[in-house]
Amino acid sequence: DTNSDSDTINYGDVNGDGKVTVVDATTIQQYLAGLTTLSSAQLAAGDVNGDGNITVADATQIQKYIAGLINKF
């Protein structure tokens, strides 16, 4: 990896595409339902409320961010 920011967490960007979208919230929901697994980097990016766990609250925060109800995590 030649990216010098590889240790930087882009909170909310669970799928790593550089954007925070509904796909990221959906990915968390799929993880919680046991339909997919997440890497440690994805788990870190998905823990937007910083409580150390991936929960529906994180997916909700991402949805609020997308809707413009909040502007940061």
Side-chain angles (χ1 to χ4, degrees):
D1 188 0
T2 59
N3 182 353
S4 63
D5 296 326
S6 61
D7 293 335
T8 301
I9 298 170
N10 187 9
Y11 289 102
D13 182 17
V14 180
N15 69 351
D17 68 354
K19 300 173 291 220
V20 178
T21 67
V22 69
V23 174
D24 299 299
T26 300
T27 300
I28 289 176
Q29 292 166 333
Q30 290 173 336
Y31 168 77
L32 294 173
L35 301 175
T36 190
T37 58
L38 299 178
S39 70
S40 58
Q42 288 176 301
L43 290 169
D47 183 20
V48 296
N49 67 1
D51 69 354
N53 298 297
I54 300 295
T55 65
V56 69
D58 296 299
T60 300
Q61 287 296 100
I62 291 172
Q63 290 168 333
K64 286 181 178 179
Y65 179 84
I66 295 163
L69 300 175
I70 59 173
N71 61 9
K72 64 180 179 177
F73 298 116

